[in-house]
Amino acid sequence: MTMVLLTALGVGGATIFGCIIGFVFKNLSHKFSDIVLSFSAGIMLAAAVLGLILPSLEYGGKFGIIVTIAGIFVGALALSLFDKLVPHLHKLVGAEIEGPKPKNSENIDKVLLFVTAIAIHNLPEGIAAGVGFGSGNPEEALIIAGGIALQNIPEGMVIIGPMLAAGISRKWTFTCAVFTGVIEIVGCLLGYFAVTVSSFILPFALSFAGGTMLYVISDEMIPETHSHGSEWGATYALLVGFSVMLILDVLLG
């Protein structure tokens, strides 16, 4: 349990650390944002496949393939339902980079919108990290959590500039950053306790977490990073991120 708690703090803390860096380098170009987000997408893709979906097949037994596929689609559908309520995080970021600065009376609404979108985006990542520990394989779980933490740093970096440009104060911006980190900590603990209470749901929980990550990658990150003329750099950044996770899996697995 101590390792799970420390990992949860590390995953959430990585987001906050990235946001602190974002305060220093707040005027990031679209090209740089696209590349670092694509690198994050590559890490998430490898973590979803290697650390969540493939283990789901292994733990699923006779009906493993059915449970895994069902979990992937249910996870994706769950996030798509959330998207009906709240705009995508990266669409918000892109709009704020290019859009006009809001009036002061609109600032609180902007803050709430950003916080909600970021929370929805980060919660499944935390759950994925926690579910990994429920499998009883701490090495694999640490690889998943390490990959998520690694991609949280650049993601935290790129949200600071747009929030400041939207007229949100530095205090509120940092508060949002801390909140996004806390959300991942909560998600990690929820994922861990869910699968430890009942090992029966482990295969489904693993693939559910993998499905949510695949949804975020396909529906948000790839379209956003390929919409500003940086397709070549974004594609290879994704491959680099994926390769980094492959190397970690070989070295630590």
Side-chain angles (χ1 to χ4, degrees):
M1 181 59 194
T2 301
M3 182 180 292
V4 176
L5 184 57
L6 290 175
T7 302
L9 293 173
V11 170
T15 300
I16 299 173
F17 178 69
C19 291
I20 292 173
I21 297 176
F23 274 108
V24 179
F25 303 99
K26 54 182 177 292
N27 295 319
L28 301 176
S29 66
H30 254 314
K31 182 176 182 179
F32 180 81
S33 297
D34 290 343
I35 289 175
V36 296
L37 287 176
S38 291
F39 175 79
S40 299
I43 290 177
M44 288 179 64
L45 179 60
V49 175
L50 300 176
L52 296 169
I53 294 174
L54 292 182
S56 172
L57 287 172
E58 295 175 6
Y59 290 108
K62 183 178 180 180
F63 299 101
I65 185 65
I66 298 175
V67 173
T68 298
I69 292 176
I72 290 172
F73 276 92
V74 172
L77 286 171
L79 278 197
S80 67
L81 291 176
F82 277 121
D83 278 341
K84 299 296 183 181
L85 303 175
V86 180
H88 297 187
L89 168 63
H90 298 295
K91 288 183 179 180
L92 281 173
V93 171
E96 294 304 333
I97 289 176
E98 298 172 351
K101 189 173 181 179
K103 299 177 182 178
N104 290 335
S105 61
E106 299 175 347
N107 285 353
I108 297 299
D109 290 338
K110 290 287 184 179
V111 170
L112 293 176
L113 192 58
F114 266 110
V115 170
T116 306
I118 294 167
I120 290 175
H121 178 268
N122 284 358
L123 183 62
E125 294 178 10
I127 292 175
V131 166
F133 279 99
S135 67
N137 187 340
E139 292 81 11
E140 189 71 37
L142 286 173
I143 292 173
I144 298 172
I148 293 173
L150 188 61
Q151 66 91 25
N152 278 346
I153 296 175
E155 280 200 343
M157 290 172 57
V158 300
I159 66 173
I160 295 299
M163 293 180 74
L164 293 175
I168 300 171
S169 70
R170 295 175 67 88
K171 178 181 177 180
W172 270 104
T173 298
F174 184 72
T175 300
C176 291
V178 172
F179 180 77
T180 61
V182 171
I183 283 293
E184 295 212 48
I185 294 173
V186 172
C188 184
L189 296 177
L190 283 175
Y192 172 73
F193 285 117
V195 296
T196 52
V197 168
S198 174
S199 60
F200 178 76
I201 68 170
L202 176 60
F204 181 83
L206 287 167
S207 59
F208 177 91
T212 61
M213 294 176 72
L214 291 178
Y215 179 89
V216 170
I217 294 166
S218 177
D219 192 60
E220 295 188 15
M221 301 180 79
I222 291 178
E224 170 62 23
T225 57
H226 283 65
S227 61
H228 309 114
S230 305
E231 295 87 352
W232 188 89
T235 297
Y236 280 93
L238 185 147
L239 295 177
V240 170
F242 191 91
S243 299
V244 167
M245 283 299 291
L246 285 179
I247 293 171
L248 288 175
D249 188 60
V250 171
L251 293 179
L252 303 177

